[in-house]
Amino acid sequence: FKKNFSVKSFAVEKFEDFLELVKDTLAVKDSFLQAVLSEDTPVTNFVKLTEDHRRERQRRLDAGDETAELKFPRSAPVPPPRQGAPQHGSSS
């Protein structure tokens, strides 16, 4: 929420590599992202797709393919507001 989109957040360098990660749910058509599945697709379908891909990655890791490991970078936590600092949206 309130974050700029960056493919680096998904541990990839190019948008095409990001699309490879989400190929079951998103595609590019006429230069726009388009949902692959219908709007009323049950959540259980997404759970099944996620589990299928997790098992495939685990199989590849067990076979020695280190590229199958997902490595998402951790972002630094947002520091809490300082004591006595004015809050946004306050009426004072």
Side-chain angles (χ1 to χ4, degrees), residues 8-66:
K8 292 184 188 288
S9 299
F10 297 90
V12 295
E13 295 294 323
K14 298 183 289 184
F15 188 70
E16 292 80 11
D17 297 332
F18 167 74
L19 285 176
E20 183 64 27
L21 288 175
V22 295
K23 64 185 173 198
D24 292 329
T25 52
L26 291 176
V28 175
K29 183 177 181 183
D30 300 325
S31 299
F32 290 97
L33 284 176
Q34 182 178 32
V36 173
L37 303 172
S38 67
E39 201 172 306
D40 59 349
T41 300
V43 173
T44 55
N45 286 31
F46 293 100
V47 173
K48 182 182 180 309
L49 288 170
T50 302
E51 180 60 17
D52 289 347
H53 287 282
R54 185 199 65 78
R55 286 181 182 170
E56 176 62 18
R57 283 191 311 277
Q58 188 61 53
R59 185 195 62 75
R60 289 174 48 200
L61 282 168
D62 292 345
D65 182 1
E66 294 178 11

Side-chain angles (χ1 to χ4, degrees), residues 72-91:
F72 294 107
R74 294 178 187 233
S75 57
V78 177
R82 296 185 318 197
Q83 290 273 345
Q87 299 292 317
H88 293 288
S90 64
S91 60

